């Protein structure tokens, strides 16, 4: 029973004897094996750690267990929120939108604006045109956006709603109310690709539908567009903008969602920050566009290269080499020397890497996450002398990614020990961790159960992270971002060392005060 | 005064909508008070299609079935059948606690998906589903059954998951249950609850073999509509056991298949979340003659009332024990109230939740001297609003299927001291400097059911309202400006 002087959480409450007794009594009625046959549970638990289980597990054709990816519309919402006063609008059921908003809100600990047009059975039969007509008007009246970015759910895609016709039909019947609102739209079926595909499709739609055609292009030789991609680290957006500004004020970010998920206390603002629409509408005029996530911008790249005929490059400014390449690319495109400030930052990063390397050198890591995130992270681990033993990318694109990853891995002197696992989920990874263990795991919150099951410490880097606070505020890009990565990884190694050596009079001679 | 403000804000909110939407929304908003004869609780429209284009806080039928009702059943594997997203978004967020070895004999916090691709949409997913079911049984041999939870495309592409499940049930001789809970069906998660209840009725109630050998006693009860969020069903179970009852089945928090199949043998069904499980309670009454009783374990006043009502059903012996239990815990909860009430008395609260909570938690707040000035349901029906009336103590703003715009305006006008709603709303109000508690997930705390849990509830409300963090919002120079002005 609770004692008022010391009210305990459920965590401790349920350890009290009366609750433990109650749990025991409950077993009598249960069918779970732990109540019926604990020995069987032990036996199967051990079996799941074996090579035999791993082989069966890897033969799966139809079943996905504990994925490390999600569906397209989520990415579309992030792309939309990168623009000034833009309301993401999902043509489909409102249940999806509640899920998307919840997912982002749990990660950023910030509100996430997004509406749906609440399609239901009648829309499934007759199509969602009337939902779209009412929905756009209501959205505009309540939330007064400058742009409404329409994406779709799988329901709307399966019934084959024609967005082009629907949006123009809705505008025509809106009695002028929608005349001043930009309404780009993108098909984002959940059964194709993953959240990064949705980002790509929405970004392409926003750019293409809000820019003139190439014949009306007025090239601005100095202007460079930078597209960040599906970037869950707001600090990364900030740092990239700082690096850009050191070269030129004509380098602009297209799709800048930093401020939207980082507003201060005081009053609630529905919209915050974002790429100004004037910048968006002149995107075609830039001489070059750099994408910071090659695989989150595959279709967008085609628009920019083939239709807009701009210079197009991809960079991945995660880690030392990636940031070097980005900085040199900016230097090349602007014709300017690398600013001294960046040389200083680079020196500080390398200095820090040289301080910490003994703790990472030769350590084995398993990493999982999005394709571009992994290319950067794996590169950094290799730069530090670590071994990326398992690289799991559940949403690995069919074309190019494995080859790119092989190229990164080839730089490691342990490249033979590094395995790349495209399109594998976290239950596959569980088998890998039991049969070919590593020292550390790097990934998002879903790595938590792997940590519990295998005892391999999880270093939380990725998306989503629901169970730790404020990590998304930091940068993982640029030299300062690499320093954050270095700090998190090194200190995780040291935490583990302390944990392993803390036993009095047995191991604590190694429980050093200086490391 | 309060009532006038409430009437005013409804009018103001409706002005923002285009005419058609304003007309629709006006039927979902109103004011009620204990004195009113036909107040909002009798008149608001509910369980209707949401207005398109707004930030509705509602979920879908899949969320109601997989996310709420089926998902917590621990020894079965619940397949999110369709594209990858739904299972991922609904993974782990509801905090349905369970005891078991995850991945081996229990599976609640995991995500099993058929991860549909374009090919599955075009050619149908039944074949993939068949393969998938076999893979589940090979890799997770200690599962006690599989459920297939349909996502939107399934019902649109003409798949016959019922047939696949039926065939597999024969093949595996374990339960294989298909739920056609596509997200576009109905207007909210509510239909999903109903569909899940229907599958319980059709698939589990008849499974006599699972309850063979069960020896009944006169004191057997089933807890229904408790999803063990933060351990709620456990702190409920303990009290029922202490008054001399035997809880033979829990629906569905920390439930296992066999327990659920035992339910038709119990003497009384105790229903906490009426909204999500009244269907099955009614069915068991008709089919097995088991009476059901609603109860409320939020806060000591309601818990005590409920315990007495439950004990009365079982007669004097249980009543005597119940009084002992009530006396034992009341001493503690009185101390809790003495500790926290002075710090919380008179504080005004606005609620916006789902299920049973928009009415059931009112008593717990009132035990702490707090006042509810607004409440509403995401997916309630008329019978929920009617039941809410008896819990009102003053003029209360009633809002059905409120969206983010409306909630923001209501809060700005009525200036409550605490908002208690969901995670999507949380940071909106915290940014305004308003204390907020998530009342779906207990804001990562809990349990909140029963006497022990009330101590945690009281502590949580105190920490929310009396935290120093809310006083830092204005910078010192802004305060100076105000003084100077």
């Amino acid at each position: 029973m609770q004692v008022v002087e010391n009210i305990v959480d459920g965590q401790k409450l349920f350890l009290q004897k009366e609750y433990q007794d109650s749990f025991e009594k409950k077993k009598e009625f249960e069918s779970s094996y732990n109540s019926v046959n604990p020995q069987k549970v032990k036996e199967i638990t051990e079996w799941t750690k074996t090579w035999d289980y791993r082989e069966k597990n890897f033969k799966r054709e139809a079943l996905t267990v504990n994925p490390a990816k999600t569906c397209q519309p989520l990415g579309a919402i992030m792309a939309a929120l990168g623009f000034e006063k833009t309301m993401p609008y999902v043509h489909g059921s409102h249940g999806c939108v509640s899920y998307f908003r919840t997912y982002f809100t749990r990660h950023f600990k910030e509100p996430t604006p997004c509406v749906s047009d609440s399609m239901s059975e009648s829309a499934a039969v007759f199509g969602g045109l009337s939902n779209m007509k009412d929905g756009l008007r209501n959205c505009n009246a309540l939330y007064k956006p400058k742009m409404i970015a329409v994406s779709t759910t799988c329901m709307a895609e399966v019934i084959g709603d024609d967005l082009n016709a629907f949006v123009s039909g809705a505008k025509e019947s809106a009695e002028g109310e929608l005349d001043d609102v930009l309404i780009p739209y993108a098909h984002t079926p959940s059964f194709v690709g993953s959240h990064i595909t949705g980002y790509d499709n929405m970004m392409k739609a926003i750019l293409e539908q809000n820019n003139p055609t190439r014949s009306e292009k007025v090239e601005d030789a100095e202007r460079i567009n930078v597209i960040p991609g599906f970037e869950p680290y707001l600090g990364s957006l900030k740092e990239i903008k700082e690096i850009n500004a050191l070269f030129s004020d004509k380098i602009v970010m297209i799709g800048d969602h930093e401020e939207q998920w980082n507003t201060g206390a005081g009053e609630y603002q529905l919209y915050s920050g974002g790429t100004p629409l004037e910048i968006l509408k002149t995107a075609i005029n830039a001489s070059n566009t750099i994408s910071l996530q090659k695989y989150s911008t595959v279709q967008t790249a085609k628009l920019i290269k083939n239709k807009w005929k701009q210079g197009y490059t991809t960079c991945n400014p995660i880690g030392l080499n990636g940031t070097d390449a980005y900085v040199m690319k900016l230097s090349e495109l602007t014709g300017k020397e690398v600013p001294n400030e960046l040389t200083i930052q680079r020196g500080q990063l390398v200095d820090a890497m040289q301080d910490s390397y003994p703790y990472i050198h030769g350590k084995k890591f398993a990493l999982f996450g999005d394709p571009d995130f992994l290319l950067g992270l794996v590169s950094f681990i290799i730069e530090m002398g670590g071994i990326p033993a398992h690289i799991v990318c559940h949403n690995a694109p069919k074309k190019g990614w494995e080859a790119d990853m092989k190229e990164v891995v080839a730089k490691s002197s342990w490249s033979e020990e590094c395995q790349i696992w495209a399109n594998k989920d976290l239950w596959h990874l569980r088998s890998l961790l039991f049969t070919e263990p590593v020292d550390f795991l790097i990934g998002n919150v879903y790595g938590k159960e792997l940590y519990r099951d295998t005892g391999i410490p999880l270093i939380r880097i990725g998306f989503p992270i629901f169970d730790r606070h404020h990590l998304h505020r930091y940068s993982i890009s640029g030299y300062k971002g690499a320093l954050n990565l270095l700090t998190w990884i090194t200190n995780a190694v040291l935490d583990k060392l302390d944990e392993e050596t803390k036993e009095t009079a047995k191991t604590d001679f190694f429980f050093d005060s200086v490391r | 005064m309060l009532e006038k403000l409430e009437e005013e804000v409804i009018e103001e909110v409706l002005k923002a909508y285009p005419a058609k939407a304003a007309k629709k929304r006006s039927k979902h908003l109103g004011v009620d008070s204990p004195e009113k004869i036909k107040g909002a609780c009798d008149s608001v429209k509910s369980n209707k299609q949401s207005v398109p284009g707004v930030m509705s806080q509602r979920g879908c039928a899949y969320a109601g079935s997989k996310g709420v009702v089926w998902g917590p059943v621990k020894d079965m594997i619940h397949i999110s059948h369709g594209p990858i997203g739904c299972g991922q978004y609904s993974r782990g967020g509801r905090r349905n606690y369970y005891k078991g070895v995850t991945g081996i004999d229990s599976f609640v916090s995991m995500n099993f998906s058929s991860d549909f691709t374009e090919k599955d949409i075009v050619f149908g997913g039944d074949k993939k589903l068949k393969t998938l079911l076999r893979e589940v049984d090979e890799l997770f041999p200690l599962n006690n059954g599989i459920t297939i939870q349909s996502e939107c495309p399934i019902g649109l592409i003409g798949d016959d998951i019922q047939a696949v499940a039926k065939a597999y049930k024969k093949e595996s001789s374990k339960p294989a249950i298909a739920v056609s809970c596509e997200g576009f069906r109905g207007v909210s998660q509510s239909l999903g609850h109903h569909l899940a209840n229907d599958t319980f009725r059709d698939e589990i109630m008849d499974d006599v073999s699972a309850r063979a050998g069960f020896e009944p006693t006169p004191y057997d009860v089933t807890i229904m509509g408790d999803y063990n969020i933060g351990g709620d069903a456990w702190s409920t179970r303990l009290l029922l056991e202490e008054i001399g009852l035997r809880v033979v089945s829990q629906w569905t928090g920390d439930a296992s298949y066999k327990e659920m199949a035992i339910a038709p043998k119990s003497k009384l069904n105790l229903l906490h979340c009426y909204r999500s499980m009244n269907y099955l309670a009614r069915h068991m009454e008709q089919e097995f003659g088991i009476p059901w009783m609603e109860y409320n374990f939020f806060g000591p006043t309601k818990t005590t009332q409920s315990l007495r009502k439950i004990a009365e059903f079982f007669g004097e012996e249980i009543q005597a024990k119940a009084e002992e239990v009530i006396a034992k815990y009341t001493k503690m909860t009185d101390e809790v109230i003495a500790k926290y009430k002075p710090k919380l008395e008179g504080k005004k609260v606005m609620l916006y939740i789902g299920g049973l909570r928009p009415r059931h938690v009112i008593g717990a707040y009132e035990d702490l001297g707090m006042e509810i000035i607004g409440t509403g349901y995401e997916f309630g029906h008329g019978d929920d609003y009617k039941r809410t009336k008896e819990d009102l103590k003053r003029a209360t703003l009633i809002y059905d299927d409120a969206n983010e715009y409306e909630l923001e305006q209501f809060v700005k006008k009525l200036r409550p001291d605490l908002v208690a709603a969901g995670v999507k709303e949380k940071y909106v109000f915290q940014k305004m400097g308003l204390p907020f508690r998530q009342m779906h997930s207990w804001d990562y705390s809990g349990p909140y059911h029963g006497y022990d849990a009330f101590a945690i509830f009281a502590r949580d409300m105190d920490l929310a309202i009396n935290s120093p963090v809310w006083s830092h919002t204005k910078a010192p120079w802004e305060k100076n400006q105000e003084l100077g002005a």
Side-chain angles (χ1 to χ4, degrees):
Chain A
M1 189 160 77
Q2 294 278 15
V3 178
V4 74
E5 292 78 29
N6 181 26
I7 294 169
V8 292
D9 285 318
Q11 176 200 346
K12 287 188 180 153
L13 182 70
F14 294 131
L15 292 176
Q16 293 180 359
K17 189 176 177 301
E18 63 263 37
Y19 285 97
Q20 290 295 312
D21 291 347
S22 179
F23 291 150
E24 279 306 308
K25 277 187 226 163
K26 184 173 185 292
K27 284 184 181 175
E28 182 189 340
F29 310 107
E30 290 191 340
S31 52
S32 57
Y33 274 75
N34 215 25
S35 308
V36 178
N37 188 352
Q39 194 49 43
K40 193 85 189 154
V41 173
K42 274 193 194 129
E43 184 191 309
I44 298 295
T45 304
E46 290 311 312
W47 175 55
T48 65
K49 299 175 184 174
T50 62
W51 277 92
D52 176 52
Y53 188 86
R54 170 172 163 169
E55 276 155 26
K56 290 191 167 68
N57 191 11
F58 273 68
K59 278 193 191 134
R60 268 190 278 145
E61 286 169 13
L63 173 67
T64 294
V65 186
N66 296 347
K69 62 174 181 180
T70 188
C71 68
Q72 279 213 45
L74 189 89
I77 289 164
M78 181 181 272
L81 289 174
F83 294 90
E84 178 195 0
K85 289 206 166 155
T86 297
M87 179 60 81
Y89 180 112
V90 178
H91 181 54
S93 156
H94 49 229
C96 308
V97 169
S98 283
Y99 276 149
F100 307 146
R101 291 172 62 211
T102 298
Y103 210 65
F104 277 132
T105 294
R106 285 182 176 147
H107 176 79
F108 290 116
K109 316 266 183 243
E110 295 279 326
T112 302
C114 178
V115 302
S116 87
D117 52 17
S118 294
M119 281 167 71
S120 190
E121 280 117 329
S122 59
V125 178
F126 303 110
L129 178 59
S130 73
N131 296 67
M132 180 80 87
K133 282 182 176 173
D134 289 341
L136 287 173
R137 281 178 88 169
N138 290 339
C139 170
N140 185 52
L142 286 193
Y143 306 111
K144 301 186 172 51
K146 286 188 171 175
M147 176 156 82
I148 300 173
V150 179
S151 55
T152 53
T153 69
C154 48
M155 177 213 181
E157 290 298 324
V158 172
I159 64 175
D161 278 1
D162 178 353
L163 285 187
N164 184 10
F166 281 20
V167 169
S168 54
K171 272 188 165 175
E172 275 166 28
S173 66
E175 299 170 56
E177 285 172 24
L178 297 173
D179 290 357
D180 300 326
V181 195
L182 304 174
I183 313 181
Y185 56 86
H187 290 278
T188 51
S190 305
F191 45 83
V192 176
S194 69
H195 54 288
I196 60 170
T197 322
Y199 180 93
D200 189 14
N201 287 335
M202 193 76 243
M203 182 55 77
K204 175 176 181 262
I206 289 175
L207 288 174
E208 188 165 30
Q209 295 166 36
N210 289 304
N211 273 274
T213 55
R214 186 154 55 94
S215 57
E216 294 165 63
K217 168 175 165 177
V218 188
E219 189 173 313
D220 179 345
E222 287 177 54
R223 179 168 163 181
I224 299 167
N225 297 329
V226 175
I227 302 175
F230 189 94
E231 178 54 78
Y233 284 90
L234 303 179
S236 288
L237 297 173
K238 192 162 191 269
E239 182 161 352
I240 292 298
K241 285 184 282 183
E242 283 168 9
I243 293 173
N244 296 347
L246 288 171
F247 281 95
S248 159
D249 56 7
K250 302 210 76 173
I251 307 175
V252 292
M253 191 168 272
I254 299 288
D256 175 7
H257 50 264
E258 183 211 340
E259 284 179 40
Q260 180 63 43
W261 278 303
N262 192 15
T263 62
E267 63 176 320
Y268 169 59
Q269 294 164 270
L270 184 60
Y271 308 109
S272 185
T275 301
L277 298 187
E278 283 316 306
I279 299 281
L280 161 65
K281 288 179 193 168
T282 52
I284 191 172
N285 297 341
S287 64
N288 281 279
T289 293
I290 305 174
S291 166
L292 304 184
Q293 290 184 1
K294 182 178 175 182
Y295 294 101
S296 303
T297 50
V298 176
Q299 299 304 322
T300 308
K302 287 181 188 161
L303 166 74
I304 293 165
K305 280 193 285 195
N306 304 340
K307 284 200 177 163
W308 289 4
K309 302 286 181 198
Q310 281 183 17
Y312 180 86
T313 348
T314 59
C315 286
N316 190 340
I318 299 178
L320 182 69
N321 293 343
T323 306
D324 283 349
Y326 181 59
V327 165
M328 286 191 293
K329 179 52 74 179
L330 291 182
S331 171
E332 178 201 320
L333 294 177
T334 57
K336 290 180 185 169
E337 296 273 310
V338 173
N340 195 39
E341 167 68 25
L342 290 172
T343 312
I344 292 169
Q345 283 181 20
R346 187 184 191 280
Q348 289 166 337
L349 169 64
V350 173
D351 180 70
M353 290 165 75
Q354 290 166 354
D355 295 341
S356 307
Y357 76 92
Y359 296 100
I360 299 181
H361 189 92
K363 294 276 191 311
K364 283 188 175 175
F365 293 83
L367 304 98
F368 66 93
D370 286 344
D372 293 289
F373 165 84
L374 283 175
L375 287 166
L377 247 290
V378 167
S379 175
F380 184 64
I381 294 292
I382 291 170
E383 287 155 24
M384 285 304 299
I387 308 169
H390 299 297
I391 303 158
V392 176
C393 187
H394 197 188
N395 53 347
K398 283 193 196 94
K399 275 190 211 157
W401 180 81
E402 270 195 81
D404 284 357
M405 187 54 92
K406 276 184 188 151
E407 217 172 282
V408 173
V409 166
K411 291 179 189 157
S412 167
S413 36
W414 287 286
S415 58
E416 310 256 296
E417 293 180 42
C418 305
Q419 302 180 77
I420 302 166
W421 304 98
N423 308 115
K424 294 288 176 271
D425 59 38
L426 299 184
W427 197 255
H428 291 121
L429 179 55
R430 188 178 185 274
S431 278
L432 295 173
L433 294 177
F434 276 123
T435 48
E436 296 176 277
V438 296
D439 300 299
F440 295 91
L441 175 62
I442 292 180
N444 64 24
V445 65
Y446 302 120
K448 189 170 190 163
E449 296 198 342
L450 293 171
Y451 159 65
R452 179 194 56 200
D453 293 356
T454 64
I456 296 167
L458 169 67
I459 305 171
R460 286 171 178 74
I461 312 174
F463 172 86
I465 295 173
F466 299 142
D467 69 334
R468 290 292 183 274
H469 286 210
H470 306 308
L471 292 172
H472 68 273
R473 296 175 191 272
Y474 290 82
S475 173
I476 64 163
S477 298
Y479 298 120
K480 290 190 283 180
L483 196 52
N484 288 331
L485 291 175
L486 179 66
T487 307
W488 297 338
I489 297 169
T490 306
N491 289 336
V493 176
L494 296 177
D495 283 344
K496 188 187 177 204
L497 195 50
D498 281 351
E499 202 50 41
E500 286 169 353
T501 57
K502 69 181 183 191
E503 207 176 330
T504 307
K506 194 162 182 196
T507 54
D508 66 348
F509 49 85
F510 221 87
F511 191 67
D512 280 313
S513 297
V514 187
R515 303 240 200 239
Chain B
M1 179 61 196
L2 180 62
E3 188 163 349
K4 192 164 160 276
L5 271 185
E6 289 169 351
E7 301 282 5
E8 272 172 27
V9 74
I10 292 176
E11 236 171 83
E12 286 166 24
V13 153
L14 291 173
K15 276 187 199 146
Y17 287 100
K20 186 176 167 190
K23 195 178 160 201
K24 266 193 164 177
R25 286 303 303 154
S26 68
K27 295 172 185 160
H28 295 259
L29 307 172
V31 178
D32 208 344
S33 66
E35 305 83 44
K36 274 202 172 176
I37 306 289
K38 273 259 171 192
C41 287
D42 288 303
S43 62
V44 286
K45 283 256 187 312
S46 56
N47 197 30
K48 299 280 178 216
Q49 196 61 251
S50 297
V51 168
V54 305
M55 271 188 255
S56 165
Q57 314 290 23
R58 280 177 162 178
C60 64
Y62 163 89
S65 176
K66 188 269 180 181
V68 174
V69 180
W70 266 115
V73 180
K74 66 181 174 183
D75 61 344
M76 298 177 81
I77 286 178
H78 311 291
I79 309 295
S80 294
H81 188 42
I84 196 73
C86 311
Q88 197 70 328
Y89 304 121
S90 58
R91 184 176 177 194
R94 272 182 60 85
R95 306 183 66 239
N96 306 112
Y97 283 5
Y98 59 99
K99 273 182 80 92
V101 182
T102 304
I104 308 299
D105 77 334
S106 303
F107 311 93
V108 179
S109 64
M110 296 171 68
N111 174 6
F112 296 83
S113 169
S114 53
D115 190 7
F116 262 33
T117 61
E118 204 155 16
K119 202 179 93 194
D120 303 313
I121 298 289
V122 176
F123 298 107
D126 285 346
K127 214 175 136 197
K128 186 178 200 175
L129 181 59
K130 276 179 211 162
T131 313
L132 180 148
L133 294 171
R134 288 191 195 112
E135 290 175 353
V136 166
D137 273 333
E138 183 179 22
L139 292 169
F140 304 94
L142 301 188
N143 81 76
N144 283 325
I146 303 174
T147 76
I148 300 148
Q149 309 282 334
S150 294
E151 299 171 9
C152 284
I154 304 306
L156 298 169
I157 59 175
D159 275 12
D160 191 354
I161 57 167
Q162 303 291 346
V164 176
K166 210 172 160 190
Y168 191 71
K169 191 178 173 181
K170 253 189 197 157
E171 178 186 322
S172 70
S173 66
K174 275 201 265 192
I177 299 168
V179 194
S180 297
C181 54
E182 286 85 351
F184 65 84
R185 292 190 197 277
V187 302
S188 69
Q189 50 269 63
S190 182
L191 183 68
H193 306 143
H194 199 153
L195 293 166
N197 275 237
D198 289 352
T199 50
F200 290 155
R201 177 196 65 202
D202 297 340
E203 303 283 346
I204 301 185
M205 291 291 99
D206 296 340
D207 192 347
V208 181
S209 64
R211 50 184 176 262
F214 173 80
E215 284 174 25
T217 75
Y219 303 108
D220 295 347
V221 296
T222 291
I223 297 175
M224 297 182 80
D226 190 323
Y227 302 102
N228 206 31
I229 292 166
D232 283 338
W234 293 333
S235 53
T236 297
R237 184 181 186 95
L238 181 73
L239 290 177
L240 297 174
E241 286 174 348
E242 283 187 278
I243 68 167
L245 303 179
R246 194 169 79 143
V247 181
V248 296
S249 181
Q250 264 177 223
W251 292 70
T252 57
D254 193 34
S256 57
Y257 180 84
K258 195 182 101 188
E259 280 174 273
M260 296 172 69
I262 288 173
K265 291 277 182 191
S266 67
K267 298 293 181 294
L268 177 66
N269 282 331
L270 292 169
L271 183 57
H272 208 238
C273 182
Y274 170 84
R275 179 73 277 127
S276 61
M277 261 193 197
N278 77 85
Y279 318 100
L280 195 70
R282 290 175 200 279
H283 171 76
M284 282 202 255
E285 185 176 39
Q286 279 171 9
E287 185 71 22
F288 306 102
I290 305 169
W292 54 280
M293 185 186 282
E294 289 176 68
Y295 70 106
N296 178 352
F297 269 13
F298 287 102
T301 303
K302 293 290 178 186
T303 305
T304 298
Q305 278 174 15
S306 296
L307 278 176
R308 288 194 172 128
K309 195 168 76 169
I310 295 165
E312 199 187 342
F313 178 89
F314 289 97
E316 279 172 20
E317 196 186 330
I318 298 295
Q319 279 177 302
K321 273 195 197 161
E323 289 308 320
E324 278 171 35
V325 171
I326 289 165
K328 174 178 122 185
Y329 282 102
T330 302
K331 195 169 162 293
M332 181 270 290
T333 55
D334 279 350
E335 286 174 32
V336 170
I337 290 169
K339 181 173 176 181
Y340 291 109
K341 194 171 177 179
K343 299 202 271 179
L344 297 171
E345 187 137 40
K347 299 287 184 194
K348 294 183 172 57
V349 184
M350 283 180 75
L351 305 170
Y352 183 60
I353 336 172
L356 72 165
R357 291 174 269 209
R359 62 176 177 276
H360 265 43
V361 300
I362 293 176
Y365 283 106
E366 282 173 349
D367 283 335
L368 294 167
M370 300 167 80
E371 301 171 5
I372 306 298
I373 58 168
T375 192
Y377 295 78
E378 277 181 25
F379 50 86
H381 297 207
D383 49 3
D384 290 305
Y385 285 95
K386 287 198 173 67
R387 284 169 161 76
T388 309
K389 177 87 177 188
E390 30 194 279
D391 286 307
L392 300 186
K393 292 288 182 318
R394 61 191 58 72
T396 309
L397 186 61
I398 304 288
Y399 29 84
D400 177 71
D401 183 23
N403 54 62
E404 185 149 312
Y405 175 82
E406 291 173 359
L407 291 173
E408 203 186 319
Q409 304 309 316
F410 294 157
V411 166
K412 278 182 178 162
K413 183 90 173 186
L414 300 180
R415 302 305 305 175
D417 301 291
L418 177 81
V419 181
V423 71
K424 300 190 290 300
E425 300 92 289
K426 173 170 174 144
Y427 302 98
V428 170
F429 297 115
Q430 288 199 169
K431 283 193 191 292
M432 298 177 185
L434 271 172
F436 186 100
R437 289 296 295 183
Q438 289 180 64
M439 289 299 278
H440 299 263
S441 65
W442 307 148
D443 228 314
Y444 324 123
S445 177
Y448 280 178
H449 293 174
Y451 295 116
D452 279 341
F454 174 69
I456 299 172
F457 174 81
R459 183 206 60 185
D460 287 350
M461 295 311 133
D462 172 53
L463 78 84
I465 286 196
N466 295 313
S467 166
V469 296
W470 309 116
S471 65
H472 309 321
T473 303
K474 280 208 167 174
W477 51 93
E478 289 175 319
K479 276 179 189 161
N480 289 343
Q481 260 179 355
E482 232 172 52
L483 285 175

